[in-house]
Amino acid sequence: MPKAATRPVVLTGDRTTGSLHLGHYVGSLKSRLVLQEDHRQFLLLADAQALTDNGDDPARIRRNVIEVALDYLAVGIDPEKSVICVQSCLPALAELTMLYMNFVTVSRLERNPTVKQEIVQRGFQRDIPAGFLCYPVSQAADITAFKAGLVPVGEDQLPMIEQSNEIARRINRHVGRELLPEAGALVSCVGRLPGIDGRSKMSKSAGNAIPLSATPAEISAAVQAMFTDPGHLRVSDPGRVEGNVVFTYLDAFDGSPDLADLKAHYRRGGLGDTVLKKRLDACLQALLAPIRERRAAFAKQPDFVMDVVRAGTARAAVLTQQTLDEVRAALGLFSFGGG
Ligand code: ATP
Ligand code: MG
């Protein structure tokens, strides 16, 4: 493996609003498992960002810092290869956010399509927390503080990366050199897994998720509750594959060559939803059983998990402070430091 300093930097993160789910697995975690082999990878437990729409329940956000860390370890994130760190314990990120606020307009933030959608989903009107409207700026701080070149994300995050690159370009233009690299998004082949309701993106906040820690009974109940084709009333009826959540999940998680035959059979008629759901249930049970077991094993070692997160945060603190110092110097801000 190339030396750490020459390996390209990857930054991703997850809001600590709840345990990670299947959408995270296909949208981002699978890529992270590959990337940790030959990249310098940083995983941010985004508790400060999670507070932007959960100011009334900070205890939940704190609790989920460890839950998400457990999910990382359970899927195979290796703390020897990836750095796991806590966003709110990195003051340089908060300071960069504050500085970057001056390089973005309110109207630009209001035009962000993901934020717009999330505002509707959360029912915010004039009561929207200022932090929530500005969270893309804090994501720009996260990405640039690590000088990340690559960000493996779900589709919903593309506007954030665009926003981050815009801010980086503005600052670079201002200081006359490429101080902050622009980041590329890495979207997996399933960039947006729908929730079990089939309507919107699977998300922790929408109550439509299958968590990676789900019990066998919870997995089966979620599969049973999934929408198929409302027009497929009798087994003999021809069924629709497009927009059928069970097929969307089979495409994402099963991927066997005979799926094409299964789809053709369903379209023709004569294939019942029960058979389909049984197959999906078996596939998800097989995927999640080892993750659940590893998670339970790590949960019995709270000191180890805490040490991983503490050590990762200490490493991230050095790097992010360096970037903050560079940005402050480039902007010509006053400093009493040794420099
Ligand atoms: P919240 O509802 O609190 O926003 P979330 O479920 O949307 O939580 P995030 O922590 O916001 O999860 O997202 C972390 C990462 O996982 C992002 O890169 C995001 O794009 C990706 N991701 C989240 N949900 C999905 C999904 N359903 N399909 C694909 N990728 C997803
Ligand atoms: Mg989200």
Side-chain angles (χ1 to χ4, degrees):
M1 195 193 290
K3 283 210 179 86
T6 59
R7 274 183 274 147
V9 177
V10 172
L11 183 270
T12 51
D14 303 278
R15 289 156 41 91
T16 60
T17 44
S19 293
L20 301 187
H21 51 63
L22 287 176
H24 295 110
Y25 186 75
V26 281
S28 179
L29 290 170
K30 268 174 87 175
S31 308
R32 300 181 201 179
L33 293 178
V34 176
L35 290 167
Q36 71 177 350
E37 296 304 327
D38 53 3
H39 287 67
R40 278 181 88 195
Q41 180 162 258
F42 296 87
L43 307 188
L44 196 60
L45 295 160
D47 58 342
Q49 193 193 113
L51 270 180
T52 63
D53 56 339
N54 290 281
D56 57 345
D57 195 2
R60 178 162 80 95
I61 301 309
R62 181 194 162 93
R63 198 170 56 243
N64 280 303
V65 167
I66 298 304
E67 294 302 315
V68 176
L70 280 172
D71 287 328
Y72 288 165
L73 297 169
V75 296
I77 294 295
D78 179 349
E80 300 286 322
K81 297 175 179 169
S82 297
V83 176
I84 301 175
C85 51
V86 182
Q87 189 185 32
S88 70
C89 298
L90 299 169
L93 298 181
E95 197 172 334
L96 281 173
T97 304
M98 194 265 297
L99 294 173
Y100 290 177
M101 294 278 199
N102 307 305
F103 294 87
V104 64
T105 63
V106 171
S107 73
R108 175 67 181 85
L109 291 170
E110 285 172 343
R111 282 201 309 274
N112 184 307
T114 299
V115 175
K116 262 183 168 166
Q117 216 172 53
E118 290 174 342
I119 287 174
V120 173
Q121 192 196 7
R122 286 157 177 75
F124 287 143
Q125 293 185 351
R126 295 286 299 163
D127 58 348
I128 179 171
F132 190 79
L133 185 66
C134 297
Y135 89 71
V137 184
S138 98
Q139 268 187 240
D142 303 338
I143 295 169
T144 56
F146 288 92
K147 299 203 170 161
L150 200 60
V151 189
V153 281
E155 266 171 26
D156 61 306
Q157 293 302 306
L158 292 177
M160 310 306 166
I161 295 173
E162 201 180 307
Q163 174 79 85
S164 174
N165 287 339
E166 260 175 54
I167 292 176
R169 276 198 297 275
R170 280 196 76 173
I171 294 190
N172 289 344
R173 206 174 323 127
H174 191 75
V175 303
R177 67 190 161 93
E178 184 144 336
L179 174 63
L180 303 171
E182 290 188 36
L186 180 74
V187 181
S188 81
C189 54
V190 187
R192 182 185 176 281
L193 186 77
I196 56 171
D197 54 2
R199 279 193 294 273
S200 47
K201 177 182 95 68
M202 179 177 283
S203 125
K204 297 185 227 95
S205 307
N208 61 1
I210 302 182
L212 297 177
S213 53
T215 62
E218 285 165 346
I219 298 168
S220 298
V223 172
Q224 277 316 312
M226 275 179 191
F227 286 99
T228 52
D229 169 8
H232 186 242
L233 297 175
R234 284 176 298 267
V235 173
S236 54
D237 289 342
R240 272 177 67 85
V241 167
E242 291 71 29
N244 184 321
V245 188
V246 180
F247 274 112
T248 307
Y249 278 53
L250 283 172
D251 278 335
F253 298 102
D254 179 311
S256 307
D258 72 328
L259 265 188
D261 295 339
L262 200 75
K263 287 179 186 172
H265 191 175
Y266 194 75
R267 284 196 180 99
R268 255 192 336 265
L271 182 62
D273 287 346
T274 318
V275 177
L276 274 190
K277 287 189 170 181
K278 246 193 195 149
R279 173 150 169 173
L280 179 62
D281 186 51
C283 159
L284 295 182
Q285 300 286 359
L287 171 72
L288 294 180
I291 295 177
R292 193 172 49 240
E293 275 161 32
R294 279 197 300 267
R295 196 180 197 283
F298 282 116
K300 286 191 191 134
Q301 309 169 62
D303 291 347
F304 169 77
V305 178
M306 209 49 126
D307 283 350
V308 163
V309 173
R310 192 182 295 115
T313 304
R315 281 177 67 184
V318 175
L319 190 68
T320 53
Q321 182 62 44
Q322 255 169 23
T323 305
L324 172 63
D325 290 346
E326 286 170 19
V327 170
R328 287 185 59 105
L331 293 177
L333 295 178
F334 204 81
S335 169
F336 289 117

